[in-house]
Amino acid sequence: MSHLILLFLLFLAPALADGGSQESTPNLCSNDVSHKRQKRDWIWNQMHIKEEIDTPLPHHVGKITSSVRNNNAKYIIEGEYANTIFKVEETSGDVYAFERLDREKKAEYELTALIIDRTNNRSLERPSKFIIKVYDINDNAPVFVQKVFNGSVPEMSPVGTSVTKVTAVDADDPTVSGHATVTYQVTTGGEYFTIDDSG
């Protein structure tokens, strides 16, 4: 009987050893994976600039930064308006605007960031697109959608009878509080007529 128990333990011991090694293997793999996940990547700040800035040009917009560590690294931007309106300082990644911008003409610009080795022009990181948003200032007055609005009202109509509706629009950003809000006022004939904020 003792021989049978001894044989059983001899067969069981390798299985237990395998089971223990199977539990430890995933931990080794997960450590390897965590080391492999350390990769180069772009680090972004929000890119934005106010329109119609009246300080001397150029105006700082933001910064493109890669985690690449290379003494020969050089930042480049590409796309419409790259190297004309917008330029990048090749060593720091600072992006500047060389023109005053008007949000009503163009509200955002899409550019591509690259980082290359200046000795051989080899790309050190995959190119990445980014957007520069132009923030609105309240610089537009409302304008009427037509020159003349005609209205009429029967005589002896009760107070509050609608006469006509007028409409004005503002080109400023409607998502910024108060920038595109239109209010109306009767400047002549106010003793007979009133107007509300709907026109």
Side-chain angles (χ1 to χ4, degrees):
M1 181 71 172
S2 62
H3 289 40
L4 288 172
I5 292 171
L6 184 59
L7 284 171
F8 178 74
L9 288 173
L10 286 172
F11 283 115
L12 187 59
L16 289 171
D18 287 346
S21 66
Q22 285 173 356
E23 287 179 4
S24 62
T25 302
N27 290 334
L28 291 171
C29 290
S30 67
N31 288 339
D32 290 344
V33 169
S34 68
H35 288 300
K36 287 178 184 174
R37 282 183 183 166
Q38 292 177 356
K39 60 179 180 135
R40 300 186 301 265
D41 205 359
W42 289 102
I43 304 159
W44 293 116
N45 290 331
Q46 175 68 41
M47 292 280 190
H48 63 269
I49 184 170
K50 277 187 178 179
E51 65 171 337
E52 305 293 353
I53 299 173
D54 58 3
T55 57
L57 293 165
H59 301 140
H60 188 259
V61 178
K63 191 179 185 74
I64 58 174
T65 309
S66 171
S67 57
V68 169
R69 293 293 171 259
N70 184 316
N71 291 334
N72 295 317
K74 173 182 175 180
Y75 290 105
I76 295 173
I77 57 173
E78 292 180 347
E80 190 181 10
Y81 306 105
N83 306 310
T84 54
I85 294 179
F86 300 104
K87 296 180 183 178
V88 64
E89 207 290 311
E90 61 182 38
T91 55
S92 69
D94 286 301
V95 179
Y96 294 90
F98 282 76
E99 290 183 18
R100 289 180 178 82
L101 304 176
D102 185 347
R103 190 206 67 89
E104 285 72 48
K105 290 182 179 175
K106 192 167 178 65
E108 57 184 46
Y109 299 80
E110 184 177 271
L111 299 170
T112 301
L114 302 93
I115 183 167
I116 65 170
D117 187 320
R118 70 177 70 245
T119 61
N120 56 19
N121 289 331
R122 185 174 61 86
S123 180
L124 300 174
E125 177 78 276
R126 279 190 298 182
S128 183
K129 292 187 182 298
F130 66 98
I131 291 175
I132 298 173
K133 294 191 173 183
V134 183
Y135 282 177
D136 186 53
I137 62 171
N138 196 359
D139 61 342
N140 287 279
V143 294
F144 286 107
V145 298
Q146 60 194 62
K147 288 185 177 180
V148 178
F149 294 87
N150 293 312
S152 62
V153 60
E155 63 176 340
M156 305 305 293
S157 294
V159 172
T161 300
S162 178
V163 176
T164 190
K165 182 174 177 66
V166 301
T167 304
V169 294
D170 191 311
D172 288 311
D173 188 350
T175 66
V176 180
S177 178
H179 280 204
T181 303
V182 176
T183 59
Y184 300 91
Q185 180 181 359
V186 175
T187 58
T188 303
E191 65 273 27
Y192 303 110
F193 301 98
T194 60
I195 188 169
D196 64 20
D197 287 344
S198 71

